Amino acid sequence: MNRISLFRTRIVIEDKVYLLAKDVWKALGCKSIEQLQGEYPEIVKHIKELPALVLECDFNTILTSDIEAMKKLKHIEITRVETLRNNTEAIKSIYPLKFMVAGKMFENDARKAGYQSVNEYIEDVDYVKEIKNEKEKLISKRDLIDSISQSRVKLFELIDADVLDKNNLQIQQYIHINNGTPYSESFIVGQGIFFCVYDDGYAFDELRIDNKDLIIPTYDYEEDDPNKNYGHDPGLRDYREYSCLENILYLITHKDVEDAGVNLMSCNAPGISFYISQAEVIKLLNPNMYRDIVLIDGDMDFAYSKTVTKDALLE
């Protein structure tokens, strides 16, 4: 499976989203920015002292009209920009409609609050309340994103990136958000290896691959040999080549998954170890239920610190 190439930089100017022109011409297979301008006149924008830019919507227009480019990139870029100003202006713009539908309610509320004018009541009370609500929503989303970011820091305390590189292993993660609370699930992946990283009961910084088997020492010092051999998937599927959720779907449909109690399912086989909630299994197997949950998937390059931005979360 070819990995989708994502844009890492976006610039927001007056609520419009721009991509770096150098990223765009590379993504479209052009050899230079001059070639990009030649093939797509006026697409490159020059704004103040910023580098050359391309509107995200212009980039998407190219993809929807260029079959070969779409086949290569396999996706379009849609970034939602949310600001308190935009949200409250949108709310204010629909007040005439709200008054048509609920005029009597506004009049009663205005009288109860001691206002003679409904317009004054809306401006001083109702609209102010809406602004406060929108502000609290944005703060809640910001805190959620911060929490997601903080939940990933622990990995660097458990696993040495050099050890992973030496053994041709990577870290994959996915985040599931239930009732506004994010949970980050992490896995060590390699050829024949898909192993959960749940706690500090393992000496992950001392793991190794021996004859394709995953060897991880434990902190159970009462045992004669703390080096536990977790084996490897005999099919030698290279789990690094697929996304985390693709791997989980594959294991659910190809391996024995057992009821682990407390609404959990588990899969423990040679080279394989993970737990997942029964509800998530059902939702993963039924794409129509994706509307009920938020899943953020992707291969995690352990050599770099990654965070989930608001744009990524809201795309």
Side-chain angles (χ1 to χ4, degrees), residues 187 194-196 198 230 233 239 247-260 264-277 281:
F187 303 87
F194 190 82
F195 196 88
C196 61
Y198 285 134
Y230 294 95
D233 182 357
Y239 292 90
N247 285 328
I248 291 174
L249 276 170
Y250 170 83
L251 293 170
I252 289 172
T253 54
H254 289 81
K255 302 290 181 181
D256 291 333
V257 180
E258 301 177 347
D259 185 349
L264 288 176
M265 306 294 289
S266 68
C267 180
N268 292 284
I272 308 299
S273 175
F274 76 91
Y275 287 84
I276 188 171
S277 75
V281 169

Side-chain angles (χ1 to χ4, degrees), residues 95 98-99 102-110 118 121-122 126:
Y95 263 103
K98 289 173 68 174
F99 191 76
K104 290 293 183 183
M105 182 192 73
F106 278 119
E107 290 174 358
N108 291 335
D109 289 345
V118 174
Y121 167 78
I122 290 175
D126 196 80

Side-chain angles (χ1 to χ4, degrees), residues 272-288:
I272 308 299
S273 175
F274 76 91
Y275 287 84
I276 188 171
S277 75
Q278 294 176 3
E280 286 180 30
V281 169
I282 294 171
K283 290 165 182 169
L284 284 170
L285 293 175
N286 185 353
N288 291 330

Side-chain angles (χ1 to χ4, degrees), residues 34-188:
E34 288 75 21
Q35 183 181 351
L36 176 67
Q37 290 175 309
E39 295 186 13
Y40 307 102
E42 299 183 1
I43 191 174
V44 177
K45 311 295 183 183
H46 297 278
I47 302 174
K48 298 181 179 179
E49 298 178 357
L50 293 171
L53 303 173
V54 172
L55 270 169
E56 187 183 72
C57 59
D58 288 344
F59 171 76
N60 290 335
T61 299
I62 292 174
L63 288 188
T64 54
S65 60
D66 189 328
I67 296 176
E68 293 304 315
M70 180 60 85
K71 284 182 179 179
K72 176 185 174 184
L73 295 175
K74 300 181 177 67
H75 73 292
I76 60 176
E77 296 284 328
I78 301 178
T79 305
R80 176 182 171 186
V81 178
E82 228 183 342
T83 66
L84 181 60
R85 184 189 65 195
N86 275 356
N87 291 2
T88 54
E89 284 183 353
I91 289 171
K92 197 166 188 176
S93 68
I94 64 172
Y95 263 103
L97 178 60
K98 289 173 68 174
F99 191 76
M100 285 178 58
V101 175
K104 290 293 183 183
M105 182 192 73
F106 278 119
E107 290 174 358
N108 291 335
D109 289 345
R111 280 197 297 269
K112 290 179 182 178
Y115 283 83
Q116 298 297 321
S117 167
V118 174
N119 288 335
E120 286 183 9
Y121 167 78
I122 290 175
E123 192 71 29
D124 293 347
V125 179
D126 196 80
Y127 182 52
V128 172
K129 180 181 69 176
E130 293 285 4
I131 292 175
K132 182 180 179 180
N133 289 339
E134 288 302 312
K135 180 180 178 181
E136 289 176 351
K137 288 178 185 177
L138 289 176
I139 291 174
S140 176
K141 289 178 181 178
R142 181 204 63 188
D143 292 344
L144 175 60
I145 294 164
D146 289 343
S147 179
I148 292 172
S149 176
Q150 292 170 6
S151 69
R152 294 182 169 185
V153 175
K154 296 178 182 178
L155 269 181
F156 295 90
E157 301 172 358
L158 294 176
I159 308 174
D160 189 329
D162 292 335
V163 172
L164 293 176
D165 290 339
K166 180 180 177 181
N167 292 279
N168 294 318
L169 298 171
Q170 295 178 0
I171 289 293
Q172 282 186 358
Q173 291 181 306
Y174 82 97
I175 294 171
H176 51 118
I177 300 174
N178 293 326
N179 297 322
T181 302
Y183 301 89
S184 178
E185 307 293 351
S186 306
F187 303 87
I188 298 170

